[in-house]
Amino acid sequence: MKFDIAVLPGDGIGPEIINQAVNVLKKIAEIYGHEFNMREGLMGGCSIDECGEPLPGETLKLCKSSDAVLLGAVGGPKWDSLPGDKRPEAGLLGLRAGLELFANLRPAVIYTALKDASPLRADIVKDGIDIMVVRELTGGIYFGKRGRVNGGPMGESAFDTEVYSVAEVERIARVAFEIAMKRRKVVTSVDKANVLESSRLWREVVIRVSGEYPEVSLNHMYVDNAAMQLIRNPEQFDVIVTTNIFGDILSDEASMITGSIGMLPSASLGKGKPGLYEPIHGSAPDIAGQNKANPIAAILSAAMMLRYSFGLETEAASIESAVVNVLNKGYRTADIASKGAKVVGTYEMGQLVADEVESLNS
Ligand code: NAD
């Protein structure tokens, strides 16, 4: 099969880790007979330096005309003093808006080989944890009506509004159920339906959509309980689907229980538009250009791209198995290294994963 991929390496460690993801994709193309047409674009600080803006029209056009976008990371101290809308991160917001990405997928996986990195106790982590948080990305309180009111009995006040329409909840619920169908077939919908009207609508709609997926079991959890259960018994979760603000908080909590930021990929999906795939970490300026960054989050982001944008499940699973095998053989980048580990650099780790993909398929 043939796919166009827009590749945006970005700043800091972005180019180093994306190079490794691209190499693994080339290996997959070679083994499975696909054609990945990878075209690079400028975004973030490097783009500000070259053409004065974080997301040039040309880059957005490139992304829109591709089947998927693979992004490294943007930002760094060099551009920190610029005004908000001129900063590298503004490019990211522009890209998300331009591609109308409404679903954010954040897996939180604790690999057996890395379970010591988790801040959770071994008897809680057991043999590993594998949760997918599906966060609604374009609605809710971050986009609802807000303002300030002067002159009330208590002085000035401010308000933000949580608003969800049936259509918005339906489309994010469908994404969650579709993903659950490819996993362990359990969806936990997180809301605050004991207090919020928007949550009551959310719950009604999720229940209705669940009727289309009789194989998936659905349960509901209040957000305060979900925050607690993620620490107490994370094993119970498969797919968590939730609103923008609750997802913002819970996806960070879920990723922190894995204990290794350099390992976590993410995807943002829209309807009928290219998806955006990127590691959850930033540009790590403290280790940029030193061959120290962990490329696994970027490599796993490429695997998510194969699965969710191209429907190449076997190829995606092959990358994920290769990562597990390399970790099981004791190889680690410095960020995840414990005593006795074989510590390798960014390039070497990428090469090890690519070689493992090859040997898994030979
Ligand atoms: P960061 O994620 O870049 O780094 C936090 C810490 O984790 C650092 O110590 C770093 O060395 C380490 N780290 C991150 N990724 C790693 C990897 N792959 N391998 C090994 N170690 C890794 O977060 P920060 O320091 O808060 O931000 C740095 C810059 O990145 C800022 O300009 C910020 O705005 C930007 N940022 C960008 C994105 C994005 O592009 N999506 C996300 C977050 C932060």
Side-chain angles (χ1 to χ4, degrees):
M1 295 171 83
K2 184 173 181 295
F3 297 99
D4 291 327
I5 303 171
V7 179
L8 312 179
D11 309 314
I13 61 170
E16 298 168 64
I17 55 164
I18 285 298
N19 264 342
Q20 298 315 314
V22 164
N23 281 343
V24 171
L25 283 172
K26 284 182 181 161
K27 184 64 77 182
I28 288 284
E30 190 186 304
I31 295 170
Y32 291 90
H34 301 306
E35 197 180 319
F36 297 143
N37 176 26
M38 296 190 252
R39 297 175 295 172
E40 263 196 31
L42 279 175
M43 194 177 103
C46 56
S47 172
I48 295 172
D49 288 350
E50 193 131 326
C51 52
E53 47 184 330
L55 178 66
E58 204 180 308
T59 299
L60 188 57
K61 209 166 123 198
L62 167 75
C63 294
K64 284 183 172 173
S65 66
S66 300
D67 297 305
V69 182
L70 182 64
L71 169 71
V74 297
K78 183 175 176 194
W79 306 280
D80 274 353
S81 53
L82 292 171
D85 61 334
K86 300 272 185 293
R87 286 173 58 132
E89 293 80 356
L92 202 50
L93 297 180
L95 187 60
R96 287 179 184 151
L99 298 178
E100 295 171 53
L101 304 168
F102 69 87
N104 184 225
L105 277 50
R106 291 252 307 246
V109 178
I110 302 181
Y111 297 93
T112 315
L114 293 183
K115 62 182 184 184
D116 290 346
S118 172
L120 297 186
R121 283 198 322 259
D123 61 312
I124 296 175
V125 173
K126 295 184 187 140
D127 287 334
I129 279 158
D130 182 359
I131 303 169
M132 177 70 84
V133 181
V134 178
R135 166 189 171 193
E136 202 288 329
L137 206 55
T138 53
I141 198 162
Y142 293 171
F143 293 90
K145 195 171 173 201
R146 72 186 52 142
R148 297 219 175 185
V149 183
N150 284 316
M154 308 279 276
E156 187 183 13
S157 60
F159 64 93
D160 298 274
T161 326
E162 172 86 346
V163 191
Y164 270 110
S165 68
V166 169
E168 283 174 310
V169 184
E170 274 175 359
R171 66 182 186 178
I172 192 75
R174 283 206 180 89
V175 169
F177 284 107
E178 291 290 338
I179 288 169
M181 287 294 289
K182 294 180 181 160
R183 295 171 48 99
R184 301 191 299 282
K185 300 190 173 66
V186 182
V187 168
T188 302
S189 171
V190 173
D191 60 36
K192 190 71 184 167
N194 51 343
V195 180
L196 303 176
E197 195 54 37
S198 54
S199 277
R200 287 193 269 273
L201 177 82
W202 176 279
R203 197 176 275 218
E204 275 167 38
V205 176
V206 172
I207 291 172
R208 189 151 15 97
V209 173
S210 75
E212 299 166 25
Y213 300 88
E215 284 176 59
V216 179
S217 81
L218 168 68
N219 57 71
H220 304 275
M221 203 176 270
Y222 297 139
V223 63
D224 40 347
N225 188 26
M228 204 163 69
Q229 294 298 331
L230 272 171
I231 305 292
R232 198 171 158 260
N233 178 17
E235 201 192 26
Q236 69 186 288
F237 295 109
D238 176 18
V239 175
I240 293 176
V241 62
T242 191
T243 61
N244 201 341
I245 186 166
F246 295 162
D248 190 2
I249 298 162
L250 292 183
S251 60
D252 266 16
E253 185 189 355
S255 60
M256 281 306 108
I257 66 172
T258 71
S260 35
I261 194 173
M263 299 285 301
L264 295 172
S266 78
S268 302
L269 307 177
K271 197 167 172 58
K273 297 247 166 56
L276 172 66
Y277 298 84
E278 55 180 323
I280 71 157
H281 61 72
S283 59
D286 51 334
I287 54 167
Q290 300 170 35
N291 194 37
K292 277 189 186 160
N294 187 344
I296 293 180
I299 291 171
L300 292 174
S301 299
M304 288 186 87
M305 178 175 77
L306 299 182
R307 174 174 295 121
Y308 295 112
S309 278
F310 305 163
L312 300 176
E313 176 59 38
T314 310
E315 291 82 340
S318 159
I319 296 179
E320 289 160 352
S321 303
V323 166
V324 170
N325 290 356
V326 168
L327 293 174
N328 286 343
K329 287 178 188 171
Y331 294 105
R332 304 281 188 274
T333 42
D335 57 312
I336 52 171
S338 53
K339 224 172 139 214
K342 301 173 201 165
V343 180
V344 294
T346 312
Y347 171 80
E348 292 76 15
M349 180 56 92
Q351 205 55 50
L352 282 162
V353 175
D355 290 348
E356 189 65 28
V357 166
E358 179 147 36
S359 58
L360 277 174
N361 289 283
S362 59

